[in-house]
Structure formats: structure tokens, C-alpha cells
Amino acid sequence: MNLILQFLFNGLATGALYAIVALGFGLIYNTTKIFHIAHGAVYTIAAYLLFSAFILLKLPLYLSILIALFGTAFFGILIEIFVYKPFYKKNAPPVTSFISSLGLYIILQNLIALIYGNQVQVLTTQPEKTFQLGSIIVSRIQWLEITTFLIISILFYLIISFTRFGKSLKALSDNPLLAEVVGIDIDSSRLKIFAIGSLLAGLGAILSALDTGIEPTMGLPIVMIAIVAVIIGGSSVFEGALVGGILLGILQALSIWQLSARWQNTVVFIALIIFLLFKPEGILGVRRRLEEIKI
Amino acid sequence: MNYIFHILTMINIYLILSLSLNILVGYSGLLSICHAAFYGIGAYISAILMTKLGINFFFALPIAIMGSMVLSLLVSIPSVRLKGDYFILTTFAFQIIVFDVLYNWVSLTKGPYGISGIPSPSFLGYLITGPVKYFFFSLIISILCFVFINIVLKAPFGQVLKAIREDETLAHALGKNVTKFKIQAFAVASALAAISGVLFAHYVTYIDPTSFTLDESIFLLSIVLIGGCGNIKGPIFGTFLLVIIPEILRFLGIPDTIAPNIRQIIYGLLLVIFMYFRPQGIAGEYKFE
């Protein structure tokens, strides 16, 4: 019984990490309709910014984390200005911005590899502090992951429900053209969306970098899982990413427990195919006719 | 001299891959990111059959083709009803699942260790081995595939695919079973990919899962998108260009440790630039809408 609880808790902690990254992807995908694969590169950049500040420049950890977060948000803005905005202004079909996002991911990942090398780097060498919570063992990072997840969820809920910006997000997600007609400044909203979305990716990256170390290819697997989380949670509502992320974390933990760690990603993608077949709108999404889904 | 024949053999293999991917991407408008999975399935089926059961190459080839076609149903049936991003995602998922199976099913595929000692094909007792002989062998097979693809695409089948690409509802209204045609297109494309997989496995005589990754699928997609799709000449351009770029880098004297990264950066840049300025690629006639 304890073993199950421990696995479930580990799944919850990993799921919290997925949920944070997925929230960023979902925010961007939902409002701009860009299939932002380069989110993975943004994630990797955050980890390497932390590495540069903390290990190479030997700055204190809290300052390094701040630098990494703001640097990542800034990078997200740069991507929007120099890559996606030109496509948007040209009214290019969504598939072309998807492919250019893929291209951008490839470029950034390999630039990082050129600068820092392809090998794995670690940020801390001492073992993670742990403590008992009832019968389960909790590491400090897991604690941090779950707390961050809770804070982000509450903040996000408040922003969406009570601010003008939150309303404009909903409007953009529902109908961008109409949103522009009623006076929402699309350009500046998109900048904010990319800044916040990238910040969330950065947050996830920092948590994972402190836990397991960093390498240039770390971004794509996690962004793939984040995408799956957004789809199975329900891509038409922002909260879907949070639910999907936690569910996938727990699903992976259960598959490690029952099968083996080698199959944990396979299980995620089988879940994706099952959802796309039987419930393409996701858990929280509203059922629409296939023709209504604007892509 | 062997070096040149090696490059030409690889071009033959990649020509089959890009022309078959073109059936999906260019003719049917299905942006599939799992072509390397079928390439790998072909390579692995024939490698396992020949090393474990000692079956002759010319029996293993059709079995690999059939196997790949059957497995293509696993991705085509769930995916063809979905549109846009969701379709792409399903093919993404299939690619990752196939890679995981090749990597983790150690008792069958030897996982990360790969399968070594794959015998060269022999024809009536004549062993086809070494770059020169293998080049002519792969040339014959790729010409056969080329002719086959040409026939299929000029035939009503290819024309219906184009019609579906242009206006799915209209094709449906004209009594064409859209789903069935898409599934068939997938089967044909994956069969051809399996052929190049078999050619590759018996040429290099050692395969491991890292040749059939998501990156490889993205590379194949880049060939088709940069060369251009929707006609025959686009993917041919793309194949020559993208297979030869790494060799040019080698001659420029870029050290081997960073050459793969530089190569990838070039592919990525080409993708972004082409998508912005010329979404139909160098010589293609179809751009996505």
C-alpha cells in the first residue's frame, strides 16, 4: 500500500512539472493557434541560462533563477517578433507556422549544443534533501514542484477570471477576428502571451534542471508530453493543461510501477491516440462537431 | 571511388523515401511525421527474418513490405479522420511508439545494441556486396519504385488523392470514399518506405534504433518540403540537395564533432526561410493551406 502511495506521489510531482510547461504551451496554442514546438527550445534555453548564471558566473541561486526566468520570457518575445509575427502578418496558413516552429526548434537546440556541448551537465552534486510525510518520502524538489504548481494554478485562475487581460485571452481563444474588432490589441496581447507562456516553460525547466541536470535535447520530450497533456485535458480551455499534466504524471508513475520505466513515454502516446479516437475534445473540453474546430 | 558510390547508394535509398512521403504530403495533403518509423519497420523485419530465420533476401523483402502495410493501418485508421494539428500529432505519437518498441523490445530487436551481421542479398548465388555492386542493385530497385510511383500517381488513384487534397468535401460529394483513399495512400507510402528500409539494412549490415528516430522523420519531411512537393521533381531536387549538404560540409573541413549540429542548423534555417518566402519549396507545386 505504501508503495502505491509513494508512486502516486512521485507521479503527482512529475505531473506538476508537466502541468506547468503544458499551461504555457496551451496558453500560446489556444490564443494564437500556433503549434509552438519551439516551446521545447525555450525550455532548454531557460535551463542553460540558469546553468550559465549559477555555475559559470557563480551567481547566487535566487539571482540565477530570476535571470533565467526573465531571460526566457524575453526570448519568447523575440521568437514572436522575429518568427511568428511575420507569418501572422502575411496571413500564412497555420501549417507553415507549425513547420517553421519545428525548424526554429532544430536551430535553437543545435545552437545550444554548439555553445555548451552535447553532454549532460549537472547543477548540484550533493544529494537532494528528503523528509517523511506520513509513510511517503518527499524530496525538496518534489515539494517545490507541487507548491509551484499550486501557486501557478491559483494565480492563473485569478488572472483568467478577474482581469481584463484574462478576458482578452478568452476572447482571442474564441474568435481572434472578433476580438480585434472589439478593440483588443492583438499585437501587444500576443507579446504578453509569449512572455507568460515562455516564463512558464522556464519555470518548469528550472525545476527539472535542479533535479536531474540538463542537456541540449531535454526540451523536445517534455514539450511533446506537454502537448499531449493539453490535448487530453481539453485544448479549448486553459485549465485543461493543468488537469492533463497531473494525469499524465500519475499515468507514467503507474506504468513505472506496473511495467517498467522504459515504457513510460509509450504509455503517454498510446493515451493520446486513444483520446484522439474517442474523446478528441479532451476531459474538460466542450464537444464540437469536427467541422467547427478551426485549425 | 567507393565514397562516391556510397553517396549515390544513399541517394537511391532516400529517393524512394522522399518520393513515397510525397504521396502523403504532396498528393494527399497529409503532413505525416512518421515516415522514418516505416523505414525502420522495413529494415527491422527483413533484418530479423534474415539473421534469425535465415530467409533469403527476395523472400524477406515482400514480407517486410506486407508487414509495413499492415502496421500502417495502426496509424492511418485513427489519424485520417482528424484534421490539421491533430493529424500531425497522431503521426508524431506513432513515430515515438515505434521507436520505443524498437528500443525497448530487447528480446526481438536487441534494443540499443542493434542487429549486426545482416547478410548481403544474393541473387541466384551471386552475392551483391560492396558499394559499387550495391549501387547498381539499389539503382534498379529505385528505378522500379520510381516507375511504380509514377504509374500510381498518374492513374485515377493519384488524381483522386489530389482532389481530396484540394477539396475534401467536394471529393466526398462526388462519391469518393475519402477515408479509404487516405488509408490506401498510407499503405502505399509505407510499403515503399519499407523497401528503402530493407535496402538500407542490407547495405550497412548493422542497424540500431537511432537510424529511425523522430529526427529522421523530420529530416525526410524537410527533404520533401524544401525540394517541394505535389509533383515528382520536387522531392528529387530535395533529396540531392539535402543528402549532399553534409558531404559539402565535410569538404569545407568542419570538424566531425560539430558537423552534425551545423548540418541540423542549416536544415532548420532552410525550413523557416522556405516556409516564409516559398512554402511550395524549390520545385514543388503544392503549398499548404
Side-chain angles (χ1 to χ4, degrees):
Chain A
M1 192 59 204
N2 285 348
L3 203 59
I4 307 177
L5 277 179
Q6 181 70 52
F7 271 111
L8 282 178
F9 181 79
N10 290 353
L12 190 69
T14 333
L17 179 71
Y18 294 156
I20 296 168
V21 182
L23 188 67
F25 178 87
L27 178 69
I28 293 170
Y29 179 57
N30 218 335
T31 49
T32 65
K33 312 289 180 236
I34 295 169
F35 209 74
H36 185 40
I37 296 281
H39 201 56
V42 172
Y43 179 89
T44 318
I45 285 168
Y48 274 90
L49 280 176
L50 181 69
F51 173 75
S52 309
F54 185 53
I55 302 287
L56 301 182
L57 300 177
K58 299 195 168 56
L59 297 174
L61 183 61
Y62 292 101
L63 188 62
S64 311
I65 289 177
L66 275 182
I67 291 175
L69 282 179
F70 283 102
T72 319
F74 181 65
F75 212 88
I77 291 175
L78 288 185
I79 290 179
E80 153 68 4
I81 292 175
F82 290 107
V83 184
Y84 294 138
K85 198 173 169 189
F87 279 92
Y88 175 69
K89 291 292 169 205
K90 232 178 91 166
N91 243 332
V95 173
T96 55
S97 52
F98 164 73
I99 294 166
S100 56
S101 182
L102 197 60
L104 184 65
Y105 173 80
I106 298 171
I107 297 171
L108 293 174
Q109 180 197 309
N110 287 288
L111 276 179
I112 294 168
L114 275 184
I115 299 170
Y116 293 93
N118 283 304
Q119 71 278 23
V120 178
Q121 315 264 18
V122 283
L123 282 109
T124 50
T125 43
Q126 72 248 52
E128 196 54 47
K129 283 188 197 118
T130 57
F131 52 91
Q132 291 284 143
L133 189 81
S135 60
I136 39 183
I137 302 161
V138 181
S139 78
R140 203 173 44 168
I141 278 288
Q142 287 180 322
W143 191 245
L144 209 59
E145 279 168 351
I146 293 176
T147 331
T148 318
F149 166 76
L150 289 176
I151 295 173
I152 293 286
S153 310
I154 295 168
L155 265 181
F156 196 77
Y157 172 75
L158 293 176
I159 292 177
I160 287 288
S161 316
F162 298 111
T163 66
R164 199 178 152 74
F165 177 62
K167 275 194 186 132
S168 73
L169 286 182
K170 276 186 186 164
L172 275 173
S173 130
D174 197 46
N175 191 334
L177 203 66
L178 205 59
E180 197 166 13
V181 170
V182 297
I184 291 170
D185 183 349
I186 301 252
D187 286 356
S188 80
S189 300
R190 278 172 66 111
L191 285 181
K192 284 181 206 154
I193 288 163
F194 272 93
I196 297 173
S198 306
L199 193 82
L200 289 168
L203 213 51
I206 289 165
L207 287 169
S208 136
L210 290 173
D211 195 16
T212 55
I214 59 177
E215 56 181 323
T217 53
M218 69 194 282
L220 192 59
I222 196 118
V223 82
M224 290 304 297
I225 292 177
I227 293 169
V228 179
V230 169
I231 303 284
I232 71 171
S235 63
S236 57
V237 282
F238 297 107
E239 301 83 353
L242 298 172
V243 176
I246 295 286
L247 268 181
L248 285 183
I250 290 174
L251 181 69
Q252 281 197 336
L254 291 178
S255 73
I256 293 173
W257 178 47
Q258 283 296 332
L259 299 163
S260 110
R262 293 181 308 188
W263 297 105
Q264 52 173 328
N265 286 334
T266 323
V267 171
V268 166
F269 290 100
I270 291 174
L272 170 72
I273 291 183
I274 292 172
F275 262 90
L276 286 177
L277 266 179
F278 298 108
K279 204 165 164 50
E281 72 277 9
I283 296 167
L284 299 182
V286 189
R287 189 157 199 124
R288 294 183 188 177
R289 290 211 327 277
L290 213 54
E291 293 76 19
E292 268 184 87
I293 300 172
K294 292 182 294 286
I295 291 165
Chain B
M1 207 52 200
N2 275 356
Y3 170 70
I4 292 183
F5 278 104
H6 166 72
I7 307 288
L8 290 174
T9 306
M10 289 317 284
I11 287 180
N12 282 335
I13 292 171
Y14 275 96
L15 271 179
I16 305 175
L17 283 170
S18 62
L19 284 170
S20 58
L21 183 59
N22 182 35
I23 297 175
L24 292 177
V25 178
Y27 278 81
S28 322
L30 299 168
L31 199 77
S32 158
I33 315 195
C34 59
H35 216 53
F38 295 112
Y39 180 41
I41 287 168
Y44 264 91
I45 291 182
S46 124
I48 289 167
L49 284 177
M50 283 183 74
T51 53
K52 286 205 169 161
L53 303 174
I55 291 175
N56 183 288
F57 176 86
F58 292 94
F59 284 106
L61 180 65
I63 298 175
I65 294 173
M66 296 299 287
S68 176
M69 285 173 88
V70 171
L71 289 174
S72 82
L73 297 176
L74 286 181
V75 59
S76 62
I77 291 175
S79 70
V80 294
R81 282 165 231 269
L82 302 164
K83 288 200 168 70
D85 298 338
Y86 284 27
F87 171 82
I88 300 172
L89 253 185
T90 321
T91 62
F92 242 130
F94 183 72
Q95 168 66 47
I96 291 174
I97 292 170
V98 168
F99 177 79
D100 282 356
V101 169
L102 293 182
Y103 199 86
N104 292 329
W105 194 352
V106 178
S107 59
L108 183 72
T109 64
K110 297 197 186 147
Y113 312 111
I115 297 178
S116 56
I118 304 167
S120 299
S122 67
F123 184 64
L124 300 173
Y126 178 75
L127 200 64
I128 304 162
T129 180
V132 181
K133 283 181 199 165
Y134 210 91
F135 161 70
F136 287 106
F137 176 63
S138 63
L139 185 68
I140 294 168
I141 296 202
S142 76
I143 288 175
L144 287 176
C145 291
F146 180 77
V147 171
F148 171 75
I149 291 170
N150 254 311
I151 293 171
V152 166
L153 292 178
K154 293 262 161 39
F157 178 70
Q159 303 303 314
V160 173
L161 289 183
K162 267 188 168 178
I164 292 172
R165 175 192 85 189
E166 294 300 326
D167 192 335
E168 199 171 315
T169 323
L170 186 64
H172 196 73
L174 288 172
K176 304 295 176 197
N177 188 338
V178 173
T179 312
K180 198 182 95 191
F181 272 99
K182 284 182 178 173
I183 290 174
Q184 285 170 343
F186 245 111
V188 172
S190 55
L192 289 160
I195 295 177
S196 32
V198 175
L199 273 181
F200 175 74
H202 296 278
Y203 175 56
V204 297
T205 69
Y206 166 80
I207 52 170
D208 70 348
T210 56
S211 307
F212 314 109
T213 54
L214 179 62
D215 291 353
E216 181 72 9
S217 274
I218 295 174
F219 174 66
L220 294 173
L221 190 67
S222 327
I223 291 182
V224 173
L225 290 173
I226 293 170
C229 56
N231 56 13
I232 298 286
K233 63 179 187 239
I236 297 180
F237 266 115
T239 308
F240 276 90
L241 185 69
L242 266 70
V243 174
I244 287 172
I245 281 180
E247 308 307 325
I248 296 173
L249 288 182
R250 200 192 301 257
F251 280 110
L252 289 178
I254 290 170
D256 278 349
T257 45
I258 60 165
N261 295 125
I262 303 249
R263 194 178 74 211
Q264 297 266 346
I265 291 174
I266 295 175
Y267 298 153
L269 269 177
L270 283 177
L271 270 183
V272 177
I273 293 170
F274 268 97
M275 278 308 116
Y276 187 71
F277 291 103
R278 201 175 156 79
Q280 70 270 43
I282 298 173
E285 60 174 53
Y286 174 59
K287 37 181 173 178
F288 285 91
E289 270 136 45

